[in-house]
Amino acid sequence: MGSVKRASSRRGAASALTLLCAMAMVAAPGLATGTAYAAPAAPAAPEPGGGKSLEQVRKEIDDLYRQAGSATDAYNLAQSETKAQSERIVEIAKLVVAGQDRIATLKDRAGAAARAQYRSGGLPPGARLALSNSPSDFLDGAGRLRQGEKATTDLLAELNRTQADLEKYARDAGAVWQQMEDNRVKKEAAKKEIEDKIKAAEALENRLAAEEKARLIQLEQDAQYQAQTAWLSSGVMRDVKGLASEAGKKAVQFATAQMGKPYVWGAEGPGAYDCSGLTSQAWLAAGRPIPRTSQEQLRLLPKVPLKDMRPGDLIIYFDDASHVGMYVGDGAIVHAPRPGRTVTLTGAGSMPIKAVVRPDA
């Protein structure tokens, strides 16, 4: 959104339509700001097979996707660390090349000094000075001798320092390579866990009949609505009146423009996103690079009280900080929910909030 007015217009339009397929925005009584997300009561439905209620199946599926989300954060962190380590390897390689060139230059200088001594017959400079017939030549030569000795000492010291630097670069490179290998192992483990959890969740959904799948979506929306209503009814949004910064407006504009695009774990756009891929790319588009994962966003970005929240701020969810959404105003966030869903608007209080962080504090 290019302005607060446009943001308000977009949210007003979202209020008039549906939110999460069956949720409708309704004003929460007694609140100066904030929007409740209401869903019509759903008719009772028969329990699915396997002896579990549909609500139990919903919770089990949600839990599997949450575990996949946590593993996705671990995968993304290992990925971003590997990228940084690769860049460090390149830097070290450049330092090694420069160090090798420096050693070659120093060796050339040492060789030139040795050749000069050979041409003088190998007689030590001190002996040549002692045999001089001219006192003035002796004194002049003594000064040059001291300069030459210092230059030789400095050359040898610099050669030793450069050699020590190369040895340190070699150790650093070895450590970075080991970190990269450790991250590769972490990524592979996280990838397997993600894929296993998603497959398990999909298998549960695929065992449901078409009518049960529709009811499952309704139950998901009902749970979000109830959580949002309880959150708004607490009065938490009463004093939230912050206005978006210019960078925040750009971030919100980018994030809301991605609505409808699918969630794909590890994705950073432009065709698909995971939750932190969306928020990190939105702020990158606003000119403020931020950490890639929701856990690192929580750890490294400044925290702000919920009452001071403004559009563009990021809301971190769950105890393990495994999910993140961007606050867009009126008690709503835009986020990439999970596999099988698309980037969408939902109530900011529809999930347990851990913290609010501000990329442009």
Side-chain angles (χ1 to χ4, degrees), residues 54-69:
L54 197 56
E55 176 62 14
Q56 288 174 320
V57 172
R58 182 194 70 79
K59 289 181 177 179
E60 190 172 344
I61 290 172
D62 282 352
D63 188 54
L64 287 167
Y65 279 127
R66 280 237 309 109
Q67 292 176 48

Side-chain angles (χ1 to χ4, degrees), residues 197-343:
K197 298 300 183 185
I198 291 176
K199 285 179 182 177
E202 289 174 342
L204 279 174
E205 288 189 85
N206 290 337
R207 286 202 295 266
L208 300 175
E211 181 181 346
E212 291 172 333
K213 288 181 180 179
R215 173 61 179 156
L216 186 69
I217 294 174
Q218 183 66 57
L219 288 174
E220 180 181 306
Q221 294 167 355
D222 288 348
Q224 292 174 354
Y225 161 70
Q226 290 167 9
Q228 174 74 355
T229 299
W231 185 68
L232 290 174
S233 297
S234 71
V236 68
M237 289 293 295
R238 185 172 291 118
D239 297 323
V240 178
K241 301 174 182 177
L243 299 177
S245 64
E246 288 304 313
K249 292 174 187 177
K250 292 177 182 177
V252 170
Q253 181 181 21
F254 180 94
T256 53
Q258 312 313 307
M259 289 173 60
K261 293 182 179 180
Y263 176 106
V264 174
W265 66 267
E268 299 178 84
Y273 296 88
D274 62 21
C275 66
S276 57
L278 176 66
T279 54
S280 60
Q281 289 300 304
W283 272 102
L284 182 62
R288 301 292 182 95
I290 64 173
R292 169 65 177 87
T293 71
S294 56
Q295 292 174 353
E296 289 296 279
Q297 289 168 4
L298 172 66
R299 186 173 73 88
L300 297 174
L301 297 179
K303 298 177 180 62
V304 296
L306 197 148
K307 66 181 179 62
D308 296 330
M309 184 169 60
R310 68 190 188 194
D313 288 348
L314 306 182
I315 304 181
I316 310 296
Y317 292 97
F318 304 110
D319 286 340
D320 61 357
S322 57
H323 191 69
V324 60
M326 179 179 291
Y327 183 62
V328 297
D330 289 343
I333 62 166
V334 59
H335 72 144
R338 65 166 177 82
R341 299 292 185 263
T342 60
V343 176

Side-chain angles (χ1 to χ4, degrees), residues 154-165:
D154 290 348
L155 186 149
L156 291 175
E158 187 172 357
L159 187 60
N160 289 335
R161 283 196 304 270
T162 305
Q163 186 63 47
D165 286 343

